[in-house]
Amino acid sequence: MVEKILADATPEKRLFVSLITRDISLVDAFLDIIDNSINAALEPLAAKLKTADDYQTLLKSNVKPKVQIDVTVSSARLVVEDNATGISAKIAADHVFKFGRALGDAEKSDRLSVYGIGLKRAMFKCGNKINMISNHKDGGFELKLNVQDWARLKQDKWSFEIEKRAPEQSKHGTRIVISELHDDVRRRLEDGIFLDQLREKIARTYSVFIGRIVDITLNNQAIPQESFDIGGNYANEKFKSGKVSCNITAGIAAVSGGAFRDKNAGWYVFCNGRAVLFADKSTTTGWAGGGLPIFQPKHRPFLGTVFFVSEDPEALPWTTTKGDVNEENAVWQEAKRHMITVGRIVIGFLDNRYTEDGTEVAPSELREAAGSKVSVLDAATAKKRTFKPPKAAGLKTIKIQYEARVKDVERIEKHLRNPGMGGSKIGKYTFDYYLKNEVGGDD
């Protein structure tokens, strides 16, 4: 009889911590911590947030009072604090600190917490000492964690020790302080560009929440709302797939006075209100052989939005870092087909801006084609409609250029008794003369 023994397969905490933090950037780690505050801000509204239309209708209404989220960054410590509803001791004990989630284990109010790993991964990424205090009407908690000590601690069942806090009836919210920052984190914070990158990423990622559901500051400076509007002549479609509803819109961006900018053009993709892709012009969203042409300067006016919504965040087509889409996801594949359908007519119109025959769409025509400014939230909740390219106005023209000897130009000027007439006027004069006297007729 063969003797069977059990080989030790117990996971090492140190290896686990290293693996889960390796592939997430420091900026994305910050966003995961802020997600915790956004999630808390959305919790009282969760019952109203079941479809894409629900989200956009709510966001248009400017919820009051807005939740305040303050992010403070220094080389000594990182602090993220909010005045949302807080986290109860029971939820903290049963859900918040689990690594991953069992099937059906997610809180029904969660909207941005996907796999139950983001907050822990983000804190581990940043530093060794973590202090988290949350005040809640049913009683909050405090966590004091030394990650290195915890990693050395042998436990059959992994756990964090938390202290219960008394129920708080007025001052709610959560405060996370991370200190003993890792060396690579400190260097990144001191490189001179990190804060600007973080500020821009926060503004973009939470663009539909800022000023509506939350206000956010970074080192006491308010994060501005990254606004983008679309012209009233747009196309949109909606579909539902399993647990996910999706609203898709495409049209011409509404700009006031200035030119259309390359960095603002493309597709904007949101999952439960969080921006996953921002002004994307890659093959991921169908450009360059994915059903749409290669993005070119003439496409700068294009603006498309995709809003995915689900009560089950895991059903949404985003990656674990929530910074990209899962291209293999069936819902994303279906959305991409709709995106190409609604976007193709708009892009076809823009393709005519510059052709081999010359410029066919003047800037004034482009703005007229866009129509009056409309919020992308209003556009996404409207009934199905199609972009309507305006009828071509005026005659098509082409620019004619050719070389001529200077002395021949001067001879013509002398003959016409108009010295200094110049090559451009002579070219137009000779063209009109030939058309009238040699071609004849009036087309």
Side-chain angles (χ1 to χ4, degrees), residues 78-90:
L78 314 174
V79 183
V80 178
E81 186 171 12
D82 67 63
N83 63 350
T85 56
I87 303 169
S88 71
K90 177 173 173 50

Side-chain angles (χ1 to χ4, degrees), residues 62 97 101 160 248 316 372 382 403 413 418 429:
N62 289 332
F97 297 111
R101 288 211 172 98
F160 295 146
I248 300 171
L316 296 168
S372 57
E403 299 288 334
E413 288 176 337
N418 190 355
Y429 180 89

Side-chain angles (χ1 to χ4, degrees), residues 58-125:
L58 175 71
L59 291 170
K60 287 186 292 184
S61 65
N62 289 332
V63 174
K64 295 180 181 179
K66 296 192 290 289
V67 167
Q68 180 67 43
I69 303 172
D70 297 315
V71 182
T72 307
V73 178
S74 72
S75 59
R77 65 178 190 167
L78 314 174
V79 183
V80 178
E81 186 171 12
D82 67 63
N83 63 350
T85 56
I87 303 169
S88 71
K90 177 173 173 50
I91 294 298
D94 295 344
H95 298 283
V96 172
F97 297 111
K98 275 188 177 181
F99 290 95
R101 288 211 172 98
L103 190 63
D105 190 39
E107 273 293 290
K108 290 182 179 179
S109 60
D110 281 354
R111 289 297 181 268
L112 301 183
S113 179
V114 187
Y115 301 105
I117 198 172
L119 178 62
K120 283 79 69 180
R121 173 172 61 183
M123 294 190 298
F124 288 172
K125 172 80 175 181

Side-chain angles (χ1 to χ4, degrees), residues 233-309:
N233 180 15
Y234 58 84
N236 72 349
E237 288 189 6
K238 303 177 185 181
F239 73 90
K240 193 171 189 306
S241 178
K243 298 178 180 179
V244 180
S245 66
C246 181
N247 291 6
I248 300 171
T249 305
I252 296 174
V255 295
S256 53
F260 296 99
R261 301 170 66 188
D262 184 272
K263 76 169 191 173
N264 294 332
W267 287 102
Y268 294 70
V269 179
F270 300 85
C271 287
N272 279 358
R274 191 191 201 270
V276 179
L277 297 175
F278 203 92
D280 187 85
K281 297 174 273 290
S282 71
T283 54
T284 299
T285 50
W287 297 92
L292 301 175
I294 296 174
F295 183 88
Q296 300 177 48
K298 62 184 176 182
H299 299 136
R300 285 174 183 157
F302 178 82
L303 172 64
T305 63
V306 186
F307 287 90
F308 293 103
V309 169

Side-chain angles (χ1 to χ4, degrees), residues 43-44 84-91 134-141 165-174:
E43 182 181 355
T85 56
I87 303 169
S88 71
K90 177 173 173 50
I91 294 298
S134 195
N135 292 317
H136 189 273
K137 63 182 180 63
D138 296 329
F141 72 93
R165 292 174 66 84
E168 178 61 65
Q169 298 307 313
S170 57
K171 188 178 180 181
H172 304 150
T174 301

